[in-house]
Amino acid sequence: MSDTPGKPQNTAAFYGQAVASFAVAMAATAIGIYQLSADAWVRGFLAIAVLYLVTSSFTLAKVIRDRQEGAAPASPYTPFEKH
């Protein structure tokens, strides 16, 4: 039987950073769309903002998944453990 603890959970700071990053990305995209004019620098800004939003979304999804997995009750035994 193993005495190793369960899967380590992310820190509150990492979770907060992921949420803040997601919010900043959403705000940047909204501001870019609001300021939309057909200039090239605006289109460039929107392209970068969308890329930032996508990568932040992946991070937020990972953090939420890890937090949920950490809260799930662990199985009392492994499939290969003798009873």
Side-chain angles (χ1 to χ4, degrees):
M1 190 162 160
S2 174
D3 290 328
T4 58
K7 187 176 182 178
Q9 209 172 18
N10 293 318
T11 65
F14 183 73
Y15 184 77
Q17 182 272 331
V19 172
S21 179
F22 183 77
V24 168
M26 288 287 291
T29 303
I31 291 168
I33 291 170
Y34 179 74
Q35 296 294 328
L36 183 63
S37 62
D39 296 336
W41 72 269
V42 175
R43 290 189 304 269
F45 172 79
L46 289 176
I48 296 300
V50 168
L51 291 174
Y52 184 47
L53 178 62
V54 169
T55 59
S56 296
S57 297
F58 279 112
T59 302
L60 180 61
K62 178 210 173 294
V63 168
I64 291 171
R65 183 203 62 210
D66 290 349
R67 182 171 273 196
Q68 289 175 342
E69 286 178 356
S75 175
Y77 62 90
T78 61
F80 301 108
E81 186 178 309
K82 272 188 168 179
H83 296 281

